[in-house]
Amino acid sequence: MRRPTLRIRKPVIPAIPGPGASPGRRRVTAGVGCLLSAVVLALLPLPQGADQAQAAAVEDSSVTRSGSKGAYDDFTDLEVTVHQTKGLRGQATRVTWSGGTPRGASEGRNFMALMQCWGDDASGPDRTQCEFGVNAGVAPGGIRAVSPPAAPGQGGDPLETATPTNQNRTHYVPFRPVAGQGDPTEDYTDSTYFTGGDTNAIPFLPNDGDGGGDVAFEVKSSLEQPALGCGARRTSTGGIQPCWLVAVPRGAHDPDGSNGNNGDLRSSSLSRSNWNQRIVFRLDFEPVGENCDPDKPERRVIGSELGTDAITSWQSRLCASGTHRFTYTQAGEEEARQAVTAPGDSSPGLGITVDPVHAPEGAAPVVHAPLAVSGLTIGFVWMYQKPGLVNVPLKELKLNQRLLAKVLTQSYADSLVPTREQIPDYIAGNPRTVAQDPEFQELNPGLDGLAKNSNSPIGFVVSSANSDMGRMVWKYVLANSDAREFLEGKADPWGMKLNPAYKDGVISESLDYFPKADLTPTPITCAGTTLSRSGLDMVPYANDMHDAGVKIRRGDIGTAFRCADGVLPKLQGEGRPTVTEQRQYGIVDTSTAVRYQLNTAALPNADGEYVKPTDDSLLKAVARMPDSDVAGVKAPDPAEAKDGAYPLTAVVYAAASVDQAEDARQDYARAIRYAAGPGQSQGTANGQLPYGYAPLPAAMRQQAENAADLLERGAPAEPSGTDSTAPNGGGGPGGGNADGGTTAGDTGGDSGGAAGGATDPAADPDASDGAQPSVSPTDPAKQNVARSGGLTPSEALGLIRWVLLGVLIAGGVAALAGPVMLRLSVRRATSPGGGAG
């Protein structure tokens, strides 16, 4: 991989005297020049940006293609880029374009339609193979119904071919799933394979004021959409069949040449003339399905969601080199700890946790091995409308602890009742939404129009799970005096008060979940039946943080507040909005934020510095973490997150009892070694560390190796720390550092820069220098890989500068030495008693 280019400013060196000057004078001038240059070099500031760590990018799989000229609209200046086309799974990939016609503020013309398709033809898919239509909301061009040429002037398409019709004789393009998944759809409203709530199609995304656009498009593997089969279908030679992303640009005309109806185009983007303008991108997915022989016996692993993405990435590589397959059950960390301390013949032998496992008195010791560095973040997708302009995405956001306390306690009215209903008396005077909160506006200035109700999310999405991560969030919030006082009942400076349902000690540092304490019922009449609605219907729980990330990405968290008059009356929401109306935020893990291209909020650390989660900020937090009550197992501590550290950082640990069968201990030790070795190389392929995790510092990798050795031997370790029954892999026989590799903690990591570590440079020639953000709403395939032990460009420039400084000083001294010594010798010869012997 390409190394960073080092550029050093050239100092101005005094001119050297010409040939006519005496040799002594030339040497003196040269020496003085060297010394002056050394001074200049020492005082010279580094080039701007050189103090930032940089690294060579991993393989760039972005693809850019151009449009073409149609019968009425010319797209030849249009360029569309899909920023990741390889190594895909269920995730989001960024799509940008430029060179289109700017769209007016309210017209349904000059937009882009995006869809995912399957297809075996090398040139791309047929329109029957694309997930499109049945979309939520009313969007121009967003249905599968088409008009044949028999309807000129009415949106008819002169190129439309024979298509099936429904019972009302409406022509439509059926969706045809991959083989084995069912029959083609039988109507343009047929939702057999996808609905308005779960489709990934974007039927209407207007060009911006410059004629371009920027969106994170959700792509689905066969796990999320079996009807497309992406990643699961094989070629005749055993390779993975590609899938496709199709972009259909739309201009100002329907296929018959008309300008639509009242400024809105009416024809479907699947209509033949529109489809002929399509721009096609091949998508290569990672293999999906049974990546391990199902006949192999299993080794069960259970635990924290923070480890899910990493462990599921490592599974296939572990299977390929072993006699067992590793299966992972995502569960609360407490359940994992219980499995470790009471292992049975069929129970998981390896638990994934954040807080340590405490073996009962007299029980076999438990080893702890760090696997990865992760954390929580506030992920958001937030479109807002500036006065007089089309909607634009909010990219940067700051939230403090008191704002988090407000959203987590349903203290904003719209998280309890719809905007059109009166604010409940017990929170009267509180803002309806976070965007209307003066504290939010003060922290995020310049966001014109956010005070409108429709410009803000209605509530804050959280997981329903009990987790160590819940305690970390509450510890972070309560460490701030303003937030703590608000939770104790003190109004903020603008008069906003706590929802009283959360008073009297509902919130504490020991809380491991996010309670929905206000379940005040609101009766509504629906089809003659009285239904009850509460804040839980307005802002429901997500199943887990991955589910929260998907819902935030789609802009629909499942809010249900209005009557759905059907066979059985029930509550339902407005449904999934169009992309231009999506506004959601909530708590997700850092891997999910990157996976679904969510923007992330900056949070204040212990210094009051607003920080986003990046490899660098996560690792700085790890370097400052204190030990838990088990030596070598780091305890998340937001109060110690200083000097650029991100406050919601956590280390993911594997924990295992040494009281297991020898073959099980060997297999789990092998899994730990893989995780701490090749598994620390960041990337999108199976077997790599997914982006969003920061690679382990070198000392922690060594700690994991030591833990694997202890587990494999099965012998009790020497007591260490406060829990003598819980060796951590950092101490005891063969254990090395008892503090888990944090001896360089005060300097931000290992002395060689290993806090940014991924893999051993000698063992992994593909690792690259530096550290780059791992939670950025950019493409994972364009993010960079951090290497353990490398120098940042700033450090390299600094090293080169001081080496050069030494060379210049030495050269200057050498140049001056001759004339000086000669002058001294002449002086000595002419002084009294200085003559020749």
Side-chain angles (χ1 to χ4, degrees), residues 410-424:
Q410 301 171 281
S411 294
Y412 295 109
D414 274 12
S415 66
L416 298 172
V417 296
T419 299
R420 62 176 177 265
E421 294 186 11
Q422 184 177 348
I423 295 177

Side-chain angles (χ1 to χ4, degrees), residues 540-624:
Y541 280 116
N543 294 328
D544 55 25
M545 289 186 288
H546 179 271
D547 182 45
V550 173
K551 289 179 174 179
I552 293 168
R553 176 75 273 158
R554 295 176 178 175
D556 181 11
I557 62 173
T559 295
F561 62 82
R562 63 183 178 85
C563 169
D565 187 359
V567 178
L568 292 175
K570 62 179 182 180
L571 294 173
Q572 71 176 29
E574 298 293 343
R576 183 175 175 179
T578 60
V579 174
T580 56
E581 302 293 328
Q582 292 177 354
R583 301 174 188 93
Q584 302 294 349
Y585 67 156
I587 295 178
V588 297
D589 59 292
T590 51
S591 177
T592 294
V594 172
R595 181 170 180 169
Y596 287 99
Q597 300 278 289
L598 303 180
N599 295 305
T600 57
L603 302 177
N605 63 14
D607 288 332
E609 175 188 5
Y610 281 82
V611 184
K612 289 186 177 184
T614 65
D615 282 354
D616 181 61
S617 65
L618 291 171
L619 290 167
K620 283 180 176 178
V622 172
R624 300 189 65 90

